[in-house]
Amino acid sequence: MGGSCDVVLVGGGQAGLAAGYYLRRAGLEYVILDGQAQPGGAWRHGWKSLRLFSPAEYSPLPGWGMPRQAGEDFPTAGHVVDYLRAYEQRYDLPVRRPVRVREVRRAGERLSVDTDAGTWSARYVISATGTWECPYVPDIPGRGDFAGRQLHTVHYTSPEQFRGQRVVVVGGGNSAAQILAEVSRVAAVTWVTLRPGRLMPDDVDGRVLFGVATRKAAGGAGGGVSDLGDIVMVPSVRDARDRGVLHSRPMFVRLTEHGVRWADGTEQPCDAVIWCTGFRPNLTHLAPLLPGWRHGKVAVEGTRSVDERRLYLLGYGDWTGAASATLVGAGRTAKATVADIAARLGG
């Protein structure tokens, strides 16, 4: 494997497929290199109960909307995976997998993409590797002393593994709230956040968020999605609130051998800590091009790298475009990115 083309796209998840759709429409020569063995991106690895925040019609990729899932108002992760697989097939996107990209380097007027299956030469590279493979856990004192179980969101599957235990859930976002909601049905759970969890109004779901993000992307006035709060009140989270378990405590100061120590010096025993503390962008393959990536300082203009003008970054969060880590947001940023590349290639 290997070859030469206009654009090499690294990553075959939702952002990569959206870019592939527009590259196909632009008539450019391109290939999508995906490190996973099967379609679906990070959606293949979410916990069993993971769902979208909104009905299927509010989470489209460009060209073909997500079909509704029978009997479900909010599609499951498995339904999203099926949609992404069908999307690849529908548009005959040139995805090569599993192909792990090791490094992207400068090679004169082109970029060289070194993989475990050969080397590609490209005039432009789009990186769309996401964040799932780079979970972040804060460096809390005592992490190595704790004798119980520690796991990140990426390793969580279902609440049954915690039945009858004492569990601390750390994090103030949607993942933490949803995991707490179901674990609290089988275990004694303490929710810990850096700041009090900001719950969105009950009538705000992905449909409202879609409208707000669309308005902001178009340069409209008013606040963005973050102004509404951090946690969408999906049915399971509303139920947790109604059961009285959706109350958070400030962050503990350290882990001990058998639990956590609070700021006042008291200790609370626990059997497990679930770190719902987010992710960092998966950019190791871009180390030769981006000197500041290890510190999270990736300078971009839109989605185009400031340090390497032949490189674009898609889907890593708001710094690569409003709501770019969502299905619908990935399509918007992909469209603008491919239009820019096509203009620079003279077509």
Side-chain angles (χ1 to χ4, degrees), residues 27-50:
L28 300 179
E29 291 183 285
Y30 73 101
V31 65
I32 301 174
L33 306 179
D34 188 32
Q36 300 201 56
Q38 300 292 331
W43 289 99
R44 296 181 57 239
H45 307 293
W47 60 93
K48 292 180 179 179
S49 64
L50 179 63

Side-chain angles (χ1 to χ4, degrees), residues 138 157 216 229 255 327:
T157 56
K216 290 299 291 183
L255 282 165
L327 283 155

Side-chain angles (χ1 to χ4, degrees), residues 187-203:
V189 179
T190 301
W191 186 22
V192 176
T193 60
L194 284 176
R195 64 179 185 182
R198 299 193 308 147
L199 309 180
M200 293 186 182
D202 283 6
D203 59 350

Side-chain angles (χ1 to χ4, degrees), residues 3-58:
S4 178
C5 56
D6 293 325
V7 182
V8 168
L9 207 161
V10 185
Q14 59 195 34
L17 298 187
Y21 170 86
Y22 286 113
L23 286 166
R24 180 176 181 271
R25 287 188 61 185
L28 300 179
E29 291 183 285
Y30 73 101
V31 65
I32 301 174
L33 306 179
D34 188 32
Q36 300 201 56
Q38 300 292 331
W43 289 99
R44 296 181 57 239
H45 307 293
W47 60 93
K48 292 180 179 179
S49 64
L50 179 63
R51 295 173 179 272
L52 287 176
F53 294 147
S54 56
E57 58 266 30
Y58 286 85

Side-chain angles (χ1 to χ4, degrees), residues 67-223:
R68 291 190 64 85
Q69 183 176 9
E72 301 286 352
D73 291 332
F74 300 93
T76 63
H79 183 72
V80 179
V81 171
D82 291 342
Y83 168 62
L84 296 180
R85 180 184 296 108
Y87 190 91
E88 277 187 31
Q89 297 170 351
R90 183 184 184 94
Y91 294 109
D92 193 24
L93 300 181
V95 183
R96 308 287 185 266
R97 64 164 61 91
V99 177
R100 302 294 298 189
V101 173
R102 296 179 178 133
E103 284 187 334
V104 182
R105 293 187 172 275
R106 297 177 180 90
E109 295 182 354
R110 302 177 73 88
L111 294 175
S112 177
V113 183
D114 178 54
T115 82
D116 61 0
T119 300
W120 287 84
S121 174
R123 299 176 71 179
Y124 291 91
V125 168
I126 300 174
S127 182
T129 49
T131 62
W132 187 261
E133 293 185 351
C134 296
Y136 170 73
V137 176
D139 190 18
I140 296 295
R143 273 182 54 201
D145 301 329
F146 183 58
R149 183 181 180 191
Q150 298 184 62
L151 69 160
H152 190 272
T153 309
V154 297
H155 305 117
Y156 174 81
T157 56
S158 73
E160 286 304 315
Q161 58 193 306
F162 302 103
R163 183 171 290 277
Q165 297 183 15
R166 299 161 297 183
V167 181
V168 173
V169 175
V170 183
N174 286 293
S175 296
Q178 290 184 36
I179 289 174
L180 176 143
E182 59 183 31
V183 173
S184 64
R185 288 191 165 277
V186 301
V189 179
T190 301
W191 186 22
V192 176
T193 60
L194 284 176
R195 64 179 185 182
R198 299 193 308 147
L199 309 180
M200 293 186 182
D202 283 6
D203 59 350
V204 171
D205 61 17
R207 288 167 284 204
V208 176
L209 302 180
F210 174 87
V212 171
T214 299
R215 186 185 70 240
K216 290 299 291 183

